[in-house]
């Protein structure tokens, strides 16, 4: 990485954020990588002999709910033992300095909230929420490790599932609406940060493009290129936990 170029880009991003009133942030697994949470598509995206993409599906759950829950139990434990990294903390500071702020994350961990962010939308749900596959129960389940695998509904003893959007499932419409509204109905949107995501899903690319159309300077933070790299205003080829504090603290 060209250090001088990066230094100039960091200064540019700092200027773009200084005085920005409306800020949108979109994060993916890379934002939590330096907290020790494996990304999905990286070399560490395996658990035992399974790929995350093969476990996070309704088919995998209906065939083997115990196995899928064992994987989530493992991930819940990792997150419970992890701490927000300096990138998460910098994003909380950015929220503190903005008048209007929304952070949409694909991550199912709660590290953004634990770092201090308040306006957070979980596009793919939460590791700490469950819902019953037999009745209408939905709620939090915080126990680590799980009391039983697979866990059962307190109301009807039905099988609980993670309240997570799996491959092939639809997003929560209320969450989508709140993000769309933030991007389209704000008086001004000045900057958008896209942090640590491969941006493989159409809706993720769409939200970055909507931010650009609403007038925001779009900044990507990712050590790798993504489908969004060509359309963003600044692409910082760096790790979020390293470069975000440089942007925020100077
Ligand atoms: P991926 O695992 O696909 O991508 C992680 C991205 O983070 C890659 O682009 C990496 O280059 C980048 N990255 C890695 N380390 C980084 C660091 N330290 N700082 C910044 N960036 C870093 O994760 P997502 O894009 O979040 O969905 O994947 C999207 C969705 O696919 C996930 O939410 C999950 C997954 O399957 C569901 O479970 C429905």
């Amino acid at each position: 990485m060209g250090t001088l170029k990066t230094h100039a880009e960091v200064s540019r991003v700092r200027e773009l954020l200084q005085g920005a009133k409306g800020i949108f942030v979109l994060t993916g697994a890379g934002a939590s990588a330096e907290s020790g949470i494996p990304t999905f598509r990286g070399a560490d995206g395996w658990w035992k002999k399974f790929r995350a993409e093969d476990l996070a599906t309704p088919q995998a759950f209906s065939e083997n709910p115990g196995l899928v829950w064992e994987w989530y139990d493992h991930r819940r434990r990792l997150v419970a033992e992890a701490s927000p990294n300096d990138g998460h903390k910098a994003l909380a500071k950015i929220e503190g300095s903005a008048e209007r702020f929304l952070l949409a994350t694909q991550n199912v961990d709660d590290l953004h909230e634990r770092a201090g962010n308040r306006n957070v939308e979980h596009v793919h749900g939460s590791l700490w929420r469950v819902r019953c596959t037999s009745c209408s129960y939905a709620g939090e389940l915080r126990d680590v490790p799980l009391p039983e695998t697979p866990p059962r509904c307190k109301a009807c003893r039905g099988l609980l599932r993670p309240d997570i959007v799996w491959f092939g499932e639809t997003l929560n419409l209320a969450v989508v609406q709140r993000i769309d509204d933030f991007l389209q109905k704000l008086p001004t949107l000045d900057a958008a940060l896209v942090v640590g995501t491969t941006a493989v899903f159409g809706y993720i690319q769409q939200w970055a493009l909507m931010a650009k159309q609403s007038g925001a300077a779009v900044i990507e933070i990712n050590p790798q290129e993504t489908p969004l790299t060509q359309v963003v205003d600044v692409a910082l080829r760096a790790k979020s936990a390293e470069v975000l504090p440089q942007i925020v603290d100077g």
Side-chain angles (χ1 to χ4, degrees):
M1 192 190 305
T3 315
L4 280 175
K5 184 165 172 256
T6 307
H7 184 73
E9 285 166 342
V10 167
S11 302
R12 184 162 169 227
V13 174
R14 191 181 302 132
E15 278 163 25
L16 288 170
L17 291 179
Q18 267 165 6
K21 293 195 169 103
I23 300 177
F24 177 61
V25 179
L26 198 49
T27 68
S32 295
E34 282 144 292
S35 293
I37 313 295
T39 60
F40 287 86
R41 293 175 182 80
D44 53 358
W46 291 80
W47 173 73
K48 297 189 174 174
K49 59 186 168 61
F50 305 99
R51 284 204 67 85
E53 282 153 299
D54 297 326
L55 291 166
T57 70
Q59 290 79 5
F61 188 70
S62 67
E63 279 164 25
N64 198 339
L67 177 76
V68 172
W69 264 118
E70 215 188 303
W71 177 54
Y72 278 110
D73 198 24
H74 162 73
R75 294 185 62 204
R76 286 159 58 99
R77 192 187 308 237
L78 278 181
V79 169
E81 288 169 0
S83 301
N85 63 51
D86 289 345
H88 291 114
K89 290 176 195 165
L91 290 173
K93 283 191 187 167
I94 291 173
E95 175 165 4
S97 70
E99 276 177 25
R100 293 176 292 277
F101 180 95
L102 185 72
L103 189 156
T105 184
Q106 294 162 87
N107 298 344
V108 292
D109 64 52
D110 57 357
L111 295 171
H112 286 305
E113 288 90 342
R114 282 160 54 196
N117 279 114
R118 290 291 161 259
N119 292 306
V120 180
E121 293 291 350
H122 282 272
V123 176
H124 291 157
S126 162
L127 272 180
W128 306 116
R129 290 193 58 81
V130 292
R131 58 179 204 262
C132 184
T133 57
S134 301
C135 75
S136 60
Y137 173 78
E140 279 205 337
L141 177 61
R142 287 259 166 194
D143 308 65
V144 176
L146 289 165
E148 52 180 340
T149 311
R152 297 266 161 195
C153 177
K154 284 193 187 108
C156 76
R157 294 297 297 159
L159 184 61
L160 289 174
R161 61 161 282 176
D163 198 359
I164 284 177
V165 181
W166 284 329
F167 286 100
E169 295 186 320
T170 49
L171 299 179
N172 179 317
L173 287 182
V175 171
V176 171
Q177 193 63 57
R178 286 197 292 271
I179 297 170
D180 285 352
D181 285 353
F182 182 84
L183 290 172
Q184 291 177 322
K185 295 188 181 161
L186 265 191
T188 52
L189 188 63
D190 303 297
L193 291 166
V194 184
V195 183
T197 177
T198 42
V200 282
F201 296 121
Y203 48 87
I204 297 299
Q205 296 180 20
Q206 200 57 39
W207 281 324
L209 294 174
M210 278 165 72
K212 198 173 167 77
Q213 277 157 12
S214 297
V218 183
I219 300 130
E220 177 177 67
I221 297 178
N222 196 314
Q224 306 285 330
E225 278 207 8
T226 78
L228 282 175
T229 304
Q230 298 308 314
V231 297
V232 300
D233 296 280
V234 188
L236 283 176
R237 292 277 145 268
K239 293 181 174 179
S240 55
E242 289 172 8
V243 83
L244 277 166
Q246 290 175 33
I247 293 167
V248 171
D249 299 325

